[in-house]
Amino acid sequence: LTPIFLMVSYFTLLASKRQLYLLFMLIGQLLNELVNNVLKNTIKEPRPVGCSHKGYGMPSSHAQFMAYFAVFAMLWSVRRIELRHSFWKVFYNAAILILSALVIYSRVALNYHTHNQIAVGTALGACFAVFWHVFLATIYEPNVRYLEQMGICKFLYLRDSGEIPNLLQYEYMTAMALKDDTYARNDKAKSM
């Protein structure tokens, strides 16, 4: 269920934050799933004996999904998140790694996949995450200003906030300043 939860999270964050980089992370996640589907239907290795799930087992799609997500998210946090305290970045990465490891391990524990199937899925997902991250660093990031100026991005309010040093702090300070201005205007209107 974790991959479903993460897909809902992708779309929820995209709808609320409108971040281009998140959109491209999602595109990478979907391409990773496409690679998995092609490989499963090419290799056609069955699941372990006694498994009630239908379909092929090599490579594990859950392992590939979670490995992509974990590696990409950790690379993103190292390169693009700036926080006041490094503890939070370490905590964030550790939490992602633990969650991913638990999901991957559960696939063997529940007898849905063999050790080889999860090992291959994990390796493929991690490699695809590194590839996609490097691709975005070399192609997307130098051209992000052009993308933001495209009509569809303007229409959907899509943007990249990667150049804002501490986005969380910036959003908080901006919201509080707007709130203070609103209170001041309301107080001024009441006094008239």
Side-chain angles (χ1 to χ4, degrees):
L1 293 177
T2 303
I4 294 169
F5 169 76
L6 289 174
M7 291 304 289
V8 170
S9 297
Y10 273 124
F11 286 103
T12 301
L13 284 170
L14 268 172
S16 63
K17 295 294 184 181
R18 308 296 173 120
Q19 291 292 322
L20 272 169
Y21 203 77
L22 181 62
L23 174 64
F24 279 95
M25 181 182 177
L26 172 60
I27 290 169
Q29 187 81 67
L30 295 174
L31 289 173
N32 182 54
E33 285 297 297
L34 179 65
V35 167
N36 180 272
N37 195 356
V38 168
L39 288 173
K40 275 190 185 224
N41 288 304
T42 301
I43 298 169
K44 297 182 179 181
E45 182 176 301
R47 291 180 181 269
V49 175
C51 177
S52 60
H53 274 43
K54 303 290 182 221
Y56 300 115
M58 175 66 88
S60 165
S61 58
H62 277 73
Q64 192 170 333
F65 185 102
M66 293 307 297
Y68 170 88
F69 175 78
V71 171
F72 192 94
M74 289 188 293
L75 289 170
W76 170 76
S77 78
V78 168
R79 285 195 62 240
R80 293 181 56 115
I81 293 181
E82 185 177 316
L83 299 171
R84 201 172 353 171
H85 303 290
S86 61
F87 165 79
W88 292 112
K89 195 180 284 192
V90 171
F91 178 78
Y92 168 83
N93 286 326
I96 287 174
L97 197 57
I98 290 168
L99 172 67
S100 296
L102 288 172
V103 170
I104 291 167
Y105 170 74
S106 76
R107 306 311 288 173
V108 171
L110 295 170
N111 197 38
Y112 295 151
H113 291 285
T114 65
H115 285 91
N116 285 342
Q117 291 170 347
I118 65 160
V120 171
T122 301
L124 286 170
C127 289
F128 193 82
V130 170
F131 160 76
W132 193 246
H133 188 80
V134 169
F135 172 78
L136 293 180
T138 56
I139 304 297
Y140 163 82
E141 289 177 22
N143 296 300
V144 70
R145 294 289 164 244
Y146 301 112
L147 287 170
E148 288 177 322
Q149 297 306 314
M150 292 175 66
I152 188 72
C153 289
K154 287 181 174 184
F155 178 75
L156 295 174
Y157 300 119
L158 293 171
R159 65 196 178 283
D160 185 284
S161 301
E163 294 177 12
I164 298 173
N166 186 333
L167 183 59
L168 187 61
Q169 181 182 28
Y170 173 80
E171 287 177 342
Y172 174 79
M173 298 301 278
T174 302
M176 294 310 289
L178 287 171
K179 201 173 187 181
D180 289 344
D181 287 347
T182 302
Y183 288 145
R185 277 195 306 272
N186 288 344
D187 289 345
K188 190 174 184 178
K190 288 179 185 176
S191 67
M192 293 178 141

